[in-house]
Each structure stands twice: as C-alpha cells, then as structure tokens.
Coordinates of all heavy atoms in Angstrom, one line a residue:
M1 N -22.1 5.1 -69.3 CA -22.4 3.9 -70.0 C -22.7 4.2 -71.5 O -23.3 5.2 -71.9 CB -23.7 3.3 -69.4 CG -24.2 2.1 -70.1 SD -25.4 1.2 -69.2 CE -25.3 -0.3 -70.1
D2 N -22.2 3.3 -72.3 CA -22.3 3.4 -73.8 C -23.6 2.7 -74.2 O -23.7 1.5 -74.5 CB -21.1 2.8 -74.5 CG -21.2 3.0 -76.0 OD1 -22.2 3.5 -76.5 OD2 -20.1 2.7 -76.6
F3 N -24.7 3.5 -74.2 CA -26.0 2.9 -74.5 C -26.1 2.5 -76.0 O -26.8 1.5 -76.3 CB -27.2 3.9 -74.2 CG -27.4 4.1 -72.8 CD1 -27.2 5.3 -72.2 CD2 -27.9 3.1 -72.0 CE1 -27.4 5.5 -70.8 CE2 -28.1 3.2 -70.6 CZ -27.9 4.5 -70.0
A4 N -25.5 3.2 -76.9 CA -25.5 2.7 -78.3 C -24.9 1.4 -78.5 O -25.4 0.5 -79.2 CB -24.8 3.8 -79.2
A5 N -23.8 1.1 -77.8 CA -23.1 -0.2 -77.8 C -24.0 -1.3 -77.2 O -24.2 -2.4 -77.7 CB -21.8 -0.2 -77.1
A6 N -24.7 -0.9 -76.1 CA -25.6 -1.9 -75.4 C -26.8 -2.2 -76.3 O -27.2 -3.3 -76.4 CB -26.1 -1.3 -74.1
R7 N -27.3 -1.2 -77.0 CA -28.4 -1.4 -78.0 C -28.0 -2.3 -79.1 O -28.7 -3.2 -79.5 CB -28.9 0.0 -78.5 CG -30.1 -0.1 -79.3 CD -30.8 1.3 -79.5 NE -29.9 2.4 -79.8 CZ -29.4 3.3 -78.9 NH1 -29.8 3.3 -77.7 NH2 -28.6 4.3 -79.3
R8 N -26.8 -2.1 -79.7 CA -26.3 -3.0 -80.7 C -26.1 -4.4 -80.2 O -26.5 -5.4 -80.9 CB -24.9 -2.5 -81.3 CG -25.0 -1.3 -82.2 CD -23.7 -1.0 -82.9 NE -22.6 -0.7 -82.0 CZ -22.4 0.5 -81.4 NH1 -23.2 1.5 -81.7 NH2 -21.4 0.7 -80.6
T9 N -25.6 -4.6 -79.0 CA -25.5 -5.9 -78.4 C -26.9 -6.6 -78.2 O -27.0 -7.7 -78.5 CB -24.7 -5.8 -77.1 OG1 -23.4 -5.3 -77.3 CG2 -24.6 -7.2 -76.4
M10 N -27.8 -5.8 -77.8 CA -29.2 -6.3 -77.6 C -29.7 -6.8 -78.9 O -30.3 -7.9 -79.0 CB -30.1 -5.2 -77.0 CG -31.5 -5.7 -76.7 SD -32.8 -5.3 -78.0 CE -32.6 -3.5 -78.2
V11 N -29.6 -6.0 -80.0 CA -30.1 -6.4 -81.3 C -29.4 -7.7 -81.8 O -30.0 -8.6 -82.2 CB -30.0 -5.2 -82.3 CG1 -30.2 -5.7 -83.7 CG2 -30.9 -4.1 -81.9
D12 N -28.1 -7.7 -81.6 CA -27.3 -8.8 -82.1 C -27.5 -10.1 -81.3 O -27.6 -11.2 -81.9 CB -25.8 -8.5 -82.2 CG -25.4 -7.4 -83.2 OD1 -26.2 -7.2 -84.1 OD2 -24.3 -6.8 -83.1
S13 N -27.6 -10.0 -80.0 CA -27.7 -11.2 -79.2 C -29.1 -11.6 -78.8 O -29.3 -12.8 -78.4 CB -26.8 -11.0 -77.9 OG -27.4 -10.0 -77.1
Q14 N -30.0 -10.7 -78.9 CA -31.4 -11.1 -78.5 C -32.3 -11.1 -79.7 O -33.0 -12.1 -79.9 CB -32.0 -10.1 -77.5 CG -31.2 -10.1 -76.2 CD -31.7 -9.0 -75.3 OE1 -32.9 -8.6 -75.3 NE2 -30.8 -8.3 -74.5
I15 N -32.3 -10.1 -80.5 CA -33.3 -9.9 -81.6 C -32.9 -10.8 -82.7 O -33.7 -11.6 -83.2 CB -33.4 -8.4 -82.0 CG1 -33.8 -7.5 -80.8 CG2 -34.5 -8.3 -83.1 CD1 -34.9 -8.0 -80.0
K16 N -31.7 -10.6 -83.2 CA -31.3 -11.4 -84.4 C -31.3 -12.9 -84.1 O -31.5 -13.7 -85.0 CB -30.0 -10.9 -85.0 CG -30.1 -9.6 -85.6 CD -28.7 -9.2 -86.1 CE -28.7 -7.8 -86.8 NZ -27.4 -7.4 -87.3
T17 N -30.9 -13.3 -82.9 CA -30.8 -14.7 -82.6 C -32.2 -15.3 -82.1 O -32.3 -16.5 -81.9 CB -29.8 -15.0 -81.5 OG1 -30.2 -14.3 -80.3 CG2 -28.4 -14.5 -81.9
G18 N -33.2 -14.4 -82.0 CA -34.5 -14.8 -81.5 C -35.5 -15.1 -82.6 O -36.7 -14.9 -82.4
A19 N -35.0 -15.4 -83.8 CA -35.8 -15.7 -85.0 C -36.6 -14.5 -85.5 O -37.6 -14.6 -86.1 CB -36.8 -16.9 -84.7
I20 N -36.0 -13.3 -85.3 CA -36.6 -12.1 -85.9 C -36.0 -11.9 -87.2 O -34.8 -11.6 -87.3 CB -36.5 -10.9 -84.9 CG1 -37.1 -11.2 -83.5 CG2 -37.1 -9.6 -85.6 CD1 -38.5 -11.6 -83.5
T21 N -36.8 -12.0 -88.3 CA -36.2 -11.9 -89.6 C -36.7 -10.6 -90.4 O -36.2 -10.3 -91.4 CB -36.7 -13.1 -90.4 OG1 -38.1 -13.1 -90.4 CG2 -36.1 -14.4 -89.9
D22 N -37.6 -9.8 -89.8 CA -38.0 -8.6 -90.4 C -37.0 -7.5 -90.2 O -36.7 -7.1 -89.1 CB -39.4 -8.2 -89.8 CG -40.0 -7.0 -90.5 OD1 -39.3 -6.1 -91.0 OD2 -41.2 -6.9 -90.4
P23 N -36.4 -7.0 -91.3 CA -35.3 -6.0 -91.2 C -35.9 -4.7 -90.6 O -35.1 -4.0 -90.0 CB -34.8 -5.9 -92.6 CG -35.9 -6.5 -93.5 CD -36.6 -7.5 -92.7
M24 N -37.1 -4.4 -90.8 CA -37.7 -3.2 -90.2 C -37.6 -3.2 -88.7 O -37.4 -2.2 -88.0 CB -39.1 -2.9 -90.7 CG -39.2 -2.4 -92.1 SD -40.9 -1.7 -92.5 CE -42.0 -2.9 -91.8
I25 N -37.9 -4.4 -88.1 CA -37.8 -4.5 -86.7 C -36.4 -4.4 -86.2 O -36.1 -3.7 -85.2 CB -38.4 -5.9 -86.2 CG1 -39.9 -6.0 -86.6 CG2 -38.2 -6.1 -84.7 CD1 -40.5 -7.4 -86.4
V26 N -35.5 -5.0 -86.9 CA -34.1 -5.0 -86.5 C -33.6 -3.5 -86.5 O -33.0 -3.0 -85.6 CB -33.2 -5.9 -87.4 CG1 -31.7 -5.7 -87.1 CG2 -33.6 -7.3 -87.2
E27 N -34.0 -2.8 -87.6 CA -33.5 -1.4 -87.8 C -34.2 -0.5 -86.7 O -33.5 0.3 -86.0 CB -33.9 -0.9 -89.1 CG -33.4 0.5 -89.4 CD -34.2 1.6 -88.8 OE1 -35.4 1.5 -88.7 OE2 -33.6 2.6 -88.4
A28 N -35.5 -0.7 -86.4 CA -36.2 0.1 -85.5 C -35.6 -0.1 -84.1 O -35.4 0.9 -83.3 CB -37.7 -0.1 -85.5
M29 N -35.4 -1.3 -83.7 CA -35.0 -1.6 -82.3 C -33.5 -1.2 -82.2 O -33.1 -0.9 -81.1 CB -35.2 -3.1 -82.0 CG -36.7 -3.4 -81.9 SD -37.1 -5.0 -81.3 CE -37.2 -4.6 -79.5
G30 N -32.8 -1.2 -83.3 CA -31.4 -0.7 -83.2 C -31.3 0.8 -83.2 O -30.3 1.4 -82.8
A31 N -32.4 1.5 -83.5 CA -32.4 3.0 -83.6 C -33.0 3.6 -82.4 O -32.6 4.7 -82.0 CB -33.0 3.4 -84.9
V32 N -34.0 3.0 -81.8 CA -34.8 3.7 -80.7 C -34.1 3.4 -79.4 O -33.8 2.3 -79.0 CB -36.2 3.1 -80.7 CG1 -37.0 3.7 -79.5 CG2 -37.0 3.4 -82.0
P33 N -33.7 4.5 -78.7 CA -33.0 4.4 -77.4 C -33.9 4.0 -76.3 O -34.6 4.8 -75.7 CB -32.4 5.8 -77.2 CG -33.4 6.7 -78.0 CD -33.9 5.9 -79.1
R34 N -34.0 2.7 -76.0 CA -34.9 2.2 -74.9 C -34.7 2.9 -73.6 O -35.6 3.1 -72.8 CB -34.7 0.7 -74.8 CG -35.7 0.0 -73.9 CD -35.6 -1.5 -74.0 NE -36.8 -2.1 -73.3 CZ -36.6 -3.0 -72.4 NH1 -35.5 -3.4 -71.9 NH2 -37.7 -3.6 -71.8
E35 N -33.4 3.2 -73.3 CA -33.1 3.8 -72.0 C -33.9 5.1 -71.8 O -34.2 5.5 -70.6 CB -31.6 4.1 -71.8 CG -31.0 5.2 -72.7 CD -30.6 4.8 -74.1 OE1 -30.9 3.6 -74.5 OE2 -30.1 5.6 -74.8
Q36 N -34.2 5.9 -72.8 CA -34.9 7.1 -72.7 C -36.4 6.9 -72.2 O -37.0 7.9 -71.9 CB -34.9 7.9 -74.0 CG -33.5 8.4 -74.3 CD -33.4 9.3 -75.5 OE1 -34.4 9.5 -76.2 NE2 -32.2 9.6 -75.9
F37 N -36.9 5.7 -72.3 CA -38.3 5.4 -71.9 C -38.4 4.8 -70.6 O -39.4 4.3 -70.2 CB -38.9 4.5 -73.0 CG -39.0 5.2 -74.4 CD1 -37.9 5.1 -75.3 CD2 -40.0 6.0 -74.7 CE1 -37.9 5.7 -76.5 CE2 -40.1 6.7 -75.9 CZ -39.0 6.5 -76.8
L38 N -37.3 4.8 -69.8 CA -37.3 4.1 -68.5 C -36.9 5.2 -67.5 O -36.3 6.2 -67.7 CB -36.2 3.0 -68.5 CG -36.4 1.9 -69.4 CD1 -35.2 1.0 -69.4 CD2 -37.6 1.1 -69.0
P39 N -37.3 4.9 -66.2 CA -36.9 5.7 -65.1 C -35.4 5.8 -65.0 O -34.7 4.8 -65.3 CB -37.6 5.1 -63.9 CG -38.6 4.2 -64.4 CD -38.2 3.8 -65.8
E40 N -34.9 6.9 -64.6 CA -33.4 7.0 -64.5 C -32.7 5.9 -63.8 O -31.7 5.4 -64.3 CB -33.1 8.3 -63.6 CG -31.7 8.7 -63.6 CD -31.2 9.5 -64.8 OE1 -32.0 10.2 -65.4 OE2 -30.1 9.3 -65.2
A41 N -33.3 5.3 -62.7 CA -32.6 4.2 -62.0 C -32.6 2.9 -62.8 O -31.7 2.1 -62.5 CB -33.4 4.0 -60.7
R42 N -33.4 2.8 -63.8 CA -33.5 1.6 -64.6 C -32.7 1.7 -65.9 O -32.5 0.7 -66.6 CB -34.9 1.2 -65.0 CG -35.8 0.9 -63.8 CD -35.4 -0.5 -63.3 NE -36.3 -0.7 -62.1 CZ -36.0 -1.6 -61.2 NH1 -34.9 -2.4 -61.4 NH2 -36.8 -1.8 -60.2
R43 N -32.2 2.8 -66.2 CA -31.5 3.0 -67.5 C -30.2 2.1 -67.7 O -30.0 1.6 -68.8 CB -31.2 4.5 -67.7 CG -32.4 5.3 -68.0 CD -32.2 6.7 -68.2 NE -33.5 7.4 -68.5 CZ -33.7 8.7 -68.6 NH1 -32.6 9.5 -68.5 NH2 -34.9 9.1 -68.8
P44 N -29.5 1.9 -66.6 CA -28.3 1.0 -66.8 C -28.6 -0.4 -67.3 O -27.8 -1.1 -67.8 CB -27.6 1.1 -65.5 CG -28.0 2.3 -64.8 CD -29.5 2.5 -65.3
V45 N -29.8 -0.8 -67.0 CA -30.2 -2.2 -67.4 C -31.3 -2.2 -68.5 O -32.0 -3.1 -68.7 CB -30.7 -3.0 -66.2 CG1 -29.6 -3.3 -65.2 CG2 -31.9 -2.3 -65.6
A46 N -31.3 -1.1 -69.3 CA -32.3 -0.9 -70.4 C -32.3 -2.0 -71.4 O -33.3 -2.3 -72.0 CB -32.1 0.4 -71.1
Y47 N -31.2 -2.7 -71.6 CA -31.1 -3.6 -72.7 C -31.0 -5.1 -72.3 O -30.8 -6.0 -73.1 CB -29.9 -3.3 -73.7 CG -30.2 -1.9 -74.3 CD1 -29.6 -0.8 -73.8 CD2 -31.2 -1.8 -75.3 CE1 -30.0 0.5 -74.3 CE2 -31.5 -0.6 -75.8 CZ -30.9 0.6 -75.3 OH -31.2 1.8 -75.9
V48 N -31.3 -5.4 -71.0 CA -31.4 -6.8 -70.6 C -32.7 -7.4 -71.2 O -33.7 -6.6 -71.4 CB -31.4 -6.9 -69.0 CG1 -30.1 -6.4 -68.5 CG2 -32.6 -6.2 -68.4
D49 N -32.7 -8.6 -71.3 CA -33.9 -9.3 -71.9 C -34.9 -9.7 -70.8 O -35.1 -10.9 -70.5 CB -33.4 -10.5 -72.7 CG -34.5 -11.1 -73.6 OD1 -35.4 -10.3 -74.0 OD2 -34.5 -12.3 -73.9
E50 N -35.5 -8.7 -70.3 CA -36.6 -8.9 -69.3 C -37.5 -7.7 -69.2 O -37.1 -6.6 -69.6 CB -36.0 -9.2 -67.9 CG -35.1 -8.1 -67.3 CD -34.5 -8.5 -66.0 OE1 -33.7 -9.5 -66.0 OE2 -34.8 -7.9 -65.0
D51 N -38.6 -7.9 -68.6 CA -39.5 -6.8 -68.4 C -38.9 -5.9 -67.4 O -38.3 -6.3 -66.4 CB -40.9 -7.3 -67.9 CG -41.6 -8.1 -68.9 OD1 -41.4 -8.0 -70.1 OD2 -42.5 -8.9 -68.5
L52 N -39.1 -4.5 -67.6 CA -38.5 -3.6 -66.6 C -39.6 -2.7 -66.1 O -40.4 -2.2 -66.9 CB -37.4 -2.7 -67.3 CG -36.2 -3.5 -67.7 CD1 -35.3 -2.6 -68.5 CD2 -35.5 -4.1 -66.5
P53 N -39.7 -2.5 -64.8 CA -40.7 -1.6 -64.2 C -40.6 -0.2 -64.6 O -39.4 0.3 -64.6 CB -40.6 -1.8 -62.7 CG -39.2 -2.4 -62.5 CD -38.8 -3.1 -63.7
V54 N -41.7 0.5 -65.0 CA -41.6 1.9 -65.4 C -42.4 2.7 -64.4 O -42.5 3.9 -64.5 CB -42.1 2.1 -66.8 CG1 -41.2 1.5 -67.8 CG2 -43.5 1.6 -67.0
G55 N -43.0 2.1 -63.4 CA -43.8 2.8 -62.4 C -45.2 2.5 -62.4 O -45.8 2.0 -63.4
K56 N -45.9 2.7 -61.2 CA -47.3 2.5 -61.0 C -47.8 1.1 -61.5 O -48.8 1.0 -62.1 CB -48.1 3.6 -61.8 CG -47.8 5.0 -61.2 CD -48.6 6.0 -61.9 CE -48.2 7.4 -61.3 NZ -49.0 8.5 -61.9
G57 N -46.9 0.1 -61.2 CA -47.3 -1.3 -61.6 C -47.2 -1.6 -63.0 O -47.7 -2.7 -63.4
R58 N -46.6 -0.8 -63.8 CA -46.5 -1.0 -65.2 C -45.0 -1.4 -65.6 O -44.1 -1.1 -64.9 CB -46.9 0.2 -66.0 CG -48.3 0.6 -65.8 CD -48.7 1.8 -66.6 NE -50.1 1.5 -66.9 CZ -50.6 1.7 -68.1 NH1 -49.8 2.1 -69.1 NH2 -51.9 1.4 -68.4
F59 N -44.9 -2.1 -66.7 CA -43.6 -2.6 -67.1 C -43.4 -2.4 -68.6 O -44.3 -2.4 -69.4 CB -43.5 -4.2 -66.8 CG -43.5 -4.5 -65.4 CD1 -44.6 -4.6 -64.6 CD2 -42.3 -4.8 -64.8 CE1 -44.6 -4.9 -63.3 CE2 -42.2 -5.1 -63.4 CZ -43.4 -5.1 -62.7
A60 N -42.1 -2.2 -68.9 CA -41.7 -2.1 -70.3 C -41.4 -3.6 -70.7 O -40.7 -4.3 -70.1 CB -40.4 -1.3 -70.5
M61 N -42.1 -4.0 -71.8 CA -42.0 -5.4 -72.3 C -40.5 -5.7 -72.7 O -39.8 -4.9 -73.2 CB -42.9 -5.5 -73.5 CG -43.0 -6.9 -74.1 SD -44.1 -6.8 -75.5 CE -45.5 -5.9 -75.0
E62 N -40.1 -6.9 -72.4 CA -38.8 -7.3 -72.8 C -38.6 -7.2 -74.3 O -39.6 -7.4 -75.1 CB -38.4 -8.7 -72.3 CG -39.2 -9.8 -72.9 CD -38.8 -11.2 -72.3 OE1 -39.3 -11.4 -71.1 OE2 -38.1 -11.9 -72.9
P63 N -37.4 -6.8 -74.8 CA -37.3 -6.5 -76.2 C -37.6 -7.7 -77.2 O -38.3 -7.4 -78.2 CB -35.8 -6.2 -76.3 CG -35.4 -5.7 -75.0 CD -36.2 -6.5 -74.0
L64 N -37.3 -8.9 -76.8 CA -37.6 -10.0 -77.8 C -39.0 -10.3 -77.9 O -39.5 -10.6 -78.9 CB -36.8 -11.3 -77.3 CG -37.0 -12.5 -78.3 CD1 -36.6 -12.1 -79.7 CD2 -36.2 -13.7 -77.8
V65 N -39.8 -10.2 -76.8 CA -41.2 -10.3 -76.8 C -41.9 -9.3 -77.7 O -42.7 -9.6 -78.5 CB -41.8 -10.4 -75.4 CG1 -43.4 -10.3 -75.5 CG2 -41.4 -11.6 -74.6
L66 N -41.4 -8.0 -77.5 CA -41.9 -6.9 -78.4 C -41.6 -7.2 -79.9 O -42.5 -7.1 -80.7 CB -41.3 -5.6 -78.0 CG -41.6 -4.4 -78.9 CD1 -43.1 -4.2 -79.0 CD2 -40.9 -3.2 -78.4
A67 N -40.4 -7.6 -80.1 CA -40.0 -7.9 -81.5 C -40.9 -9.1 -82.1 O -41.3 -9.0 -83.3 CB -38.5 -8.3 -81.6
R68 N -41.1 -10.1 -81.3 CA -42.0 -11.2 -81.8 C -43.4 -10.7 -82.1 O -44.0 -11.2 -83.1 CB -41.9 -12.3 -80.8 CG -40.6 -13.1 -80.8 CD -40.6 -14.2 -79.9 NE -39.3 -15.0 -80.0 CZ -38.9 -15.8 -79.1 NH1 -39.5 -15.9 -78.0 NH2 -37.7 -16.4 -79.3
L69 N -43.9 -9.9 -81.2 CA -45.3 -9.4 -81.4 C -45.3 -8.5 -82.7 O -46.3 -8.7 -83.5 CB -45.8 -8.5 -80.2 CG -46.1 -9.3 -79.0 CD1 -46.3 -8.4 -77.8 CD2 -47.3 -10.2 -79.2
L70 N -44.3 -7.7 -82.9 CA -44.3 -6.9 -84.1 C -44.2 -7.7 -85.4 O -44.8 -7.5 -86.4 CB -43.2 -5.8 -84.0 CG -43.4 -4.8 -83.0 CD1 -42.1 -4.0 -82.8 CD2 -44.5 -3.9 -83.3
Q71 N -43.3 -8.8 -85.3 CA -43.2 -9.6 -86.5 C -44.5 -10.4 -86.8 O -44.9 -10.5 -87.9 CB -42.0 -10.6 -86.2 CG -41.7 -11.5 -87.4 CD -40.4 -12.1 -87.3 OE1 -39.4 -11.4 -87.7 NE2 -40.3 -13.3 -86.9
A72 N -45.2 -10.8 -85.7 CA -46.5 -11.5 -85.9 C -47.5 -10.6 -86.5 O -48.4 -11.0 -87.3 CB -47.0 -12.1 -84.6
A73 N -47.4 -9.3 -86.2 CA -48.3 -8.3 -86.8 C -48.1 -8.0 -88.2 O -48.9 -7.4 -88.9 CB -48.3 -7.0 -85.9
E74 N -46.9 -8.3 -88.7 CA -46.6 -8.1 -90.1 C -46.8 -6.6 -90.5 O -47.4 -6.3 -91.5 CB -47.4 -9.0 -91.1 CG -47.1 -10.5 -90.8 CD -47.8 -11.4 -91.7 OE1 -48.7 -10.9 -92.5 OE2 -47.6 -12.6 -91.7
V75 N -46.2 -5.7 -89.7 CA -46.3 -4.3 -89.9 C -45.7 -3.9 -91.2 O -44.6 -4.3 -91.6 CB -45.6 -3.6 -88.7 CG1 -45.7 -2.0 -88.9 CG2 -46.3 -3.9 -87.4
Q76 N -46.4 -3.0 -91.9 CA -45.9 -2.5 -93.2 C -45.7 -1.0 -93.1 O -46.4 -0.3 -92.3 CB -46.9 -2.8 -94.4 CG -47.1 -4.3 -94.6 CD -45.8 -5.0 -95.0 OE1 -45.1 -4.6 -95.8 NE2 -45.5 -6.1 -94.3
P77 N -44.8 -0.4 -93.9 CA -44.6 1.0 -93.8 C -45.8 1.9 -94.1 O -45.9 3.0 -93.6 CB -43.5 1.3 -94.8 CG -42.8 0.0 -95.0 CD -43.9 -1.1 -94.8
T78 N -46.8 1.4 -94.8 CA -48.0 2.1 -95.1 C -49.1 1.9 -94.1 O -50.1 2.6 -94.2 CB -48.5 1.7 -96.5 OG1 -48.7 0.2 -96.5 CG2 -47.5 2.0 -97.6
D79 N -48.8 1.1 -93.1 CA -49.8 0.9 -92.0 C -50.0 2.1 -91.1 O -49.0 2.8 -91.0 CB -49.5 -0.3 -91.2 CG -49.6 -1.7 -91.9 OD1 -50.2 -1.7 -93.0 OD2 -49.1 -2.7 -91.4
K80 N -51.1 2.2 -90.5 CA -51.4 3.2 -89.5 C -51.6 2.3 -88.2 O -52.2 1.3 -88.3 CB -52.6 4.0 -89.8 CG -52.4 4.9 -91.0 CD -53.5 5.9 -91.1 CE -53.5 6.8 -92.3 NZ -52.4 6.9 -93.1
A81 N -51.0 2.8 -87.1 CA -51.1 2.0 -85.9 C -51.4 2.9 -84.7 O -51.1 4.0 -84.6 CB -49.8 1.3 -85.6
L82 N -52.1 2.3 -83.7 CA -52.5 2.9 -82.5 C -52.0 2.0 -81.4 O -52.4 0.8 -81.3 CB -54.0 3.2 -82.4 CG -54.5 3.7 -81.1 CD1 -54.0 5.1 -80.8 CD2 -56.0 3.7 -81.0
V83 N -51.2 2.5 -80.5 CA -50.8 1.7 -79.3 C -51.5 2.2 -78.1 O -51.5 3.4 -77.8 CB -49.2 1.9 -79.1 CG1 -48.8 1.1 -77.9 CG2 -48.5 1.4 -80.3
V84 N -52.3 1.3 -77.5 CA -53.0 1.7 -76.3 C -52.3 1.1 -75.1 O -51.9 -0.1 -75.1 CB -54.4 1.1 -76.4 CG1 -55.2 1.4 -75.1 CG2 -55.2 1.6 -77.6
G85 N -52.1 1.9 -74.1 CA -51.4 1.5 -72.9 C -49.9 1.2 -73.1 O -49.4 0.2 -72.8
A86 N -49.3 2.2 -73.7 CA -47.9 2.0 -74.2 C -46.9 2.1 -73.0 O -45.7 2.1 -73.3 CB -47.5 3.1 -75.2
N87 N -47.3 2.1 -71.8 CA -46.4 2.2 -70.6 C -45.5 3.3 -70.8 O -45.9 4.5 -70.8 CB -45.7 0.9 -70.4 CG -46.7 -0.3 -70.1 OD1 -47.7 0.0 -69.4 ND2 -46.4 -1.4 -70.5
G88 N -44.2 3.1 -71.0 CA -43.2 4.1 -71.1 C -43.1 4.7 -72.5 O -42.4 5.7 -72.7
G89 N -43.7 4.1 -73.5 CA -43.7 4.6 -74.8 C -42.7 4.0 -75.8 O -42.7 4.3 -76.9
Y90 N -41.8 3.1 -75.3 CA -40.8 2.4 -76.1 C -41.5 1.6 -77.2 O -41.1 1.8 -78.4 CB -39.9 1.5 -75.3 CG -38.9 0.7 -76.1 CD1 -37.9 1.4 -76.7 CD2 -39.1 -0.6 -76.3 CE1 -36.9 0.7 -77.5 CE2 -38.1 -1.3 -77.0 CZ -37.1 -0.7 -77.6 OH -36.2 -1.4 -78.4
S91 N -42.5 0.8 -76.9 CA -43.1 0.0 -78.0 C -43.7 0.9 -79.0 O -43.7 0.6 -80.2 CB -44.1 -1.0 -77.4 OG -45.1 -0.3 -76.7
A92 N -44.3 2.0 -78.6 CA -44.9 3.0 -79.6 C -43.9 3.6 -80.4 O -44.1 3.8 -81.6 CB -45.7 4.0 -78.8
A93 N -42.7 3.9 -79.9 CA -41.6 4.5 -80.6 C -41.1 3.6 -81.7 O -40.8 4.0 -82.8 CB -40.6 5.0 -79.7
V94 N -40.9 2.3 -81.3 CA -40.4 1.3 -82.2 C -41.4 1.1 -83.4 O -41.1 1.2 -84.5 CB -40.1 0.0 -81.5 CG1 -39.8 -1.1 -82.5 CG2 -39.0 0.1 -80.5
L95 N -42.7 1.0 -83.0 CA -43.7 0.8 -84.0 C -43.8 2.1 -84.9 O -44.0 1.9 -86.2 CB -45.1 0.6 -83.4 CG -46.3 0.4 -84.3 CD1 -46.0 -0.8 -85.2 CD2 -47.5 0.1 -83.4
A96 N -43.6 3.2 -84.4 CA -43.7 4.5 -85.2 C -42.6 4.5 -86.2 O -42.8 5.1 -87.3 CB -43.6 5.7 -84.3
R97 N -41.4 3.9 -86.0 CA -40.4 3.8 -87.0 C -40.7 2.9 -88.1 O -40.2 3.0 -89.2 CB -39.1 3.4 -86.4 CG -38.4 4.5 -85.6 CD -37.0 4.1 -85.3 NE -36.1 4.1 -86.4 CZ -35.3 5.1 -86.8 NH1 -35.4 6.3 -86.2 NH2 -34.5 5.0 -87.9
M98 N -41.7 2.0 -87.8 CA -42.0 0.9 -88.8 C -43.2 1.3 -89.7 O -43.3 0.9 -90.8 CB -42.3 -0.4 -88.1 CG -41.0 -0.9 -87.4 SD -41.4 -2.4 -86.4 CE -42.0 -3.5 -87.6
A99 N -44.2 2.0 -89.1 CA -45.5 2.3 -89.8 C -45.7 3.7 -89.8 O -45.1 4.5 -89.1 CB -46.6 1.6 -89.0

C-alpha cells in the first residue's frame, strides 16, 4: 500500500476541506505517518476519517477532529506542549512538528 499517497489524499480530502486553515497543521499531518502509530492490522485503514482502535480500549482520534482541536489551540512554533494520554502517539507526533 502507498501510505504516502493515502496521507496526501487524507490531507486534501479531509483536512483542507474541513475548514482547517493553519498551514502548520496541514504540513504536520501531511508529514507524520499515521500508520506507524497503529497496530499492524489497522495500518491499511490508517487514513480513513474515523477513530481507530489502538488496543486496551483506546482509540486514535480521527484526523479531522485532531486537526480541529489543534487549530482551536492556536499552536505556535515557540509553544511548549504536553500530551497526556496520547494513545498511540500520533497526536503527540503531529503536535511535536508544530510546537
């Protein structure tokens, strides 16, 4: 599977069309490989717009919801951030590219 192409499609069809205007969010979500933060069996559906189970009753938040939360937070490159309960770590990795 071409995960890079799936990631570009996710950004183009979900993030950019979902009223996300912060270029740092678009760049970060286009760069961080979500599939690497999921169990092997879930990797083929890494870029669908839904929550995905990561194990032990935890879920990776759907990409558009994460993008909206980050946009509402108005993250700046000089910010310091702490992610508590990062599940698989994808949200922390996206945030780390931004702050």
